Structures are given as C-alpha cells and as structure tokens.
Amino acid sequence: MTKIKLCGLSEFCDIEAANILKPEYIGFVFAKNSRRYVSPEDAWTLKKRLSTEIKAVGVFVREDAEDIAGLLERGVIDMAQLHGGEDETYIRRLRELTGKPLIKAFRVETAGDIAAAEICSADHVLLDSGEGGTGSAFDWGLLGQMKRRYFLAGGLTPENVQRAVRELHPYGVDVSSGIETDGKKDSDKMAAFVAAVRKEEER
C-alpha cells in the first residue's frame, strides 16, 4: 500500500484533520526560512495531539546533527528528513547520535541524481523537484531508472496523485502545497488527496 505523508502541518486544525484521515506520516518543517516553519516547542505541543498511529517527520535544511538527534531522542519527532544537501559524512554523524529512521531528500534534475539516491545510506529517499514545498514536479520519466523504493514529492495534488501512484508505484507520496489554499492547509484538499491515493490502491 502506498504510504502517504502530509507535510508542513503547523496548526491544531491540521493535526485534527490528519487524525481523521490517518496518513502514515505527517511532517513538521523546522527550516526557519520556510513559511511553514514550526518551532520545536510548537511541534511538541502538536505532536502530543497527533494519533499514535501516525509518525511525525521533522524536515530540516542544513541543521546541526546534534539538534536533530535531540528532537528525535526526546520524541518530538519520530523520523528526520534531510532536505539541504547533507552528505554521507553528515548521515554517519547523525547515525552516531540516534538510531531513529532517516529520510534523505534529493532534488531530481538528471539521471545522476537518481543514481545518487540509489546508493544513499539513509533508511528512505525522497525525490523532489527542489528543497521542498515548491509545488512543481520534476520529469517523472527519469524514474524508470530507479530501483530503490522512494517517496515521490514535488507538484503532487489531489488531481494528479492517483495517476502518479498508478504509473510509478512509489513507496510513498509526499504533499505540502498541493493541499493548501492561500498558504494554509485545507482540510478538504487533504481529504481529497488521501481519498485519491486510497482509491487507486483499491483498483
């Protein structure tokens, strides 16, 4: 079954919607230059209201490994997603600090980016068109070379995610801007996105 990650949640109403929809993952963005940024304190408050059936993923861009490990070990988040070009040395350092799962995001522009994702030592890889939340898709034709399971991100919406699942069979799908209206999470779009993925799974 295709996993679903609803990313960039920042308000109690977002968490309430997620608890009803039951995606496998939700994302808190800790990159301070993002309009979706949440502080560790706010994330902890939101996490306490999140269903225990849903994993909270922290999204980071060039953050100190010690800070990420601290949030993981305190249970503020369950997994970390690295979105800032962190290399294998960085991942090894983070592994020394925590045994919690890691997702490494890759900006896909060429076949070389796919090759790099294939050999990454993170538990999961996420393929995106940028550093996250851009709302644009990359060339899905490049994915024909991908052998490793992956999260698909970039430009997904309730309208196109069913086709993405049907044609690409990703391990998971990740959405942020595609479930927003005027820069805020839209519970109707969240529901429509989840329904579209589940409908394809029932085929």
Side-chain angles (χ1 to χ4, degrees):
M1 184 173 72
T2 305
K3 310 298 185 185
I4 298 172
K5 178 167 168 278
L6 305 179
C7 200
L9 276 57
S10 61
E11 300 182 9
F12 286 125
C13 58
D14 304 339
I15 298 298
E16 291 168 357
N19 287 340
I20 293 169
L21 298 170
K22 294 291 193 295
E24 285 75 18
Y25 308 93
I26 61 94
F28 295 133
V29 177
F30 292 100
K32 291 182 179 178
N33 63 345
S34 171
R35 60 180 172 81
R36 303 178 182 93
Y37 169 77
V38 293
S39 68
E41 295 76 20
D42 288 344
W44 179 234
T45 301
L46 294 168
K47 173 71 175 332
K48 287 188 287 187
R49 296 203 182 185
L50 183 68
S51 168
T52 56
E53 299 176 58
I54 303 170
K55 298 294 185 185
V57 180
V59 179
F60 301 92
V61 178
R62 294 177 287 276
E63 186 64 64
D64 287 342
E66 289 77 9
D67 292 340
I68 296 176
L71 293 173
L72 286 163
E73 293 303 304
R74 294 200 303 273
V76 177
I77 51 175
D78 303 301
M79 303 171 67
Q81 180 174 315
L82 309 175
H83 244 288
E86 296 85 354
D87 60 13
E88 285 295 313
T89 300
Y90 182 97
I91 292 173
R92 285 195 296 272
R93 172 58 180 155
L94 194 49
R95 293 254 192 236
E96 293 172 355
L97 298 169
T98 180
K100 299 297 177 66
L102 305 178
I103 303 171
K104 179 67 184 80
F106 288 84
R107 180 175 182 171
V108 178
E109 295 179 327
T110 69
D113 300 317
I114 297 294
E118 289 275 18
I119 62 173
C120 177
S121 65
D123 300 278
H124 303 279
V125 295
L126 180 145
L127 307 180
D128 203 348
S129 57
E131 287 199 344
T134 63
S136 59
F138 61 89
D139 178 9
W140 290 352
L142 294 169
L143 293 174
Q145 304 171 60
M146 188 70 174
K147 299 178 179 63
R148 179 178 182 171
R149 68 183 191 177
Y150 60 90
F151 283 89
L152 178 67
L156 293 177
T157 67
E159 291 73 34
N160 68 11
V161 70
Q162 193 170 353
R163 179 173 68 87
V165 171
R166 182 170 61 250
E167 295 180 2
L168 303 174
H169 308 290
Y171 170 75
V173 289
D174 182 297
V175 64
S176 187
S177 60
I179 50 172
E180 292 179 347
T181 299
D182 298 328
K184 296 288 187 180
K185 289 296 179 284
D186 183 320
S187 60
D188 290 337
K189 289 183 178 179
M190 292 169 71
F193 187 91
V194 172
V197 176
R198 298 300 183 228
K199 182 177 179 180
E200 183 57 33
E201 292 293 336
E202 294 169 359
R203 288 170 61 90

